[in-house]
Amino acid sequence: MVTATVPTTKELFGIAIGDCARIWRNKVNERLRPLGLSQATWLTLWNLSWFPEGLGQAELAERLGIEGPTLVRLLDRLEKDGLVQRIASVDDRRRKVVVLTESARPLLAQVKKIIAELRMDVMEAIPDEQLAAGLQLLKLVQERLSCAKT
């Protein structure tokens, strides 16, 4: 007979972080599906929206957590759709910088609106103090993870 052990709070916390991120992404994906956007597409546009001057391909791949060749295929599609443009860096002509095109802006506005609606639906009943405490805790966990040995 196998006896189950009760997980510790720390174990449950780690599981909850992963589950929460997965569920959040799935909900965002469901809401963005009518726009014809994959997770990779909307995350790329979302990340680029925070950098009006653009991001280098290596930096963008790191932010997205994907390898360079995967990013290149994704950018090929987005460029073909007229949503991004790759331009040579002013500092190093060999380095490509990815920028949003003007035609991406209306789509991105829809994406941001849909995600803001989900955020409101999920968080409106949670007191600001609890959200602030949760954010502080998550930032501490992020910091500790960044310093953890691999």
Side-chain angles (χ1 to χ4, degrees):
M1 177 176 186
V2 176
T3 305
T5 59
V6 178
T8 66
T9 301
K10 289 177 181 169
E11 289 171 321
L12 291 173
F13 186 82
I15 292 167
I17 287 175
D19 285 349
C20 187
R22 179 184 45 77
I23 294 166
W24 182 270
R25 278 191 315 272
N26 288 340
K27 293 295 181 185
V28 170
N29 289 339
E30 287 171 17
R31 291 187 181 205
L32 293 178
R33 192 169 293 124
L35 298 179
L37 298 176
S38 69
Q39 179 175 318
T41 302
W42 72 259
L43 273 175
T44 301
L45 299 175
W46 181 272
N47 274 278
L48 288 171
S49 74
W50 299 109
F51 298 90
E53 71 286 354
L55 274 175
Q57 287 186 194
E59 295 94 343
L60 182 57
E62 185 177 329
R63 289 182 68 82
L64 296 172
I66 61 177
E67 298 294 321
T70 303
L71 178 65
V72 168
R73 288 190 301 274
L74 175 60
L75 293 177
D76 286 344
R77 284 194 312 269
L78 291 173
E79 201 165 34
K80 182 178 172 249
D81 292 342
L83 299 174
V84 301
Q85 183 179 12
R86 287 178 271 200
I87 56 176
S89 168
V90 293
D91 300 328
D92 181 353
R93 308 283 292 159
R94 297 168 297 176
R95 181 175 175 262
K96 296 292 183 186
V97 176
V98 184
V99 295
L100 291 173
T101 63
E102 282 305 311
S103 60
R105 303 223 180 266
L107 178 61
L108 188 57
Q110 287 181 282
V111 167
K112 287 185 173 189
K113 181 178 183 283
I114 289 168
I115 292 173
E117 289 169 354
L118 173 62
R119 188 180 313 113
M120 180 60 88
D121 291 348
V122 171
M123 296 184 188
E124 70 181 337
I126 302 172
D128 287 343
E129 301 78 33
Q130 283 187 309
L131 287 172
L135 180 59
Q136 184 178 6
L137 178 58
L138 285 173
K139 284 183 176 184
L140 178 59
V141 171
Q142 275 181 317
E143 183 180 305
R144 300 279 302 154
L145 281 170
S146 295
C147 297
K149 294 178 184 176
T150 52

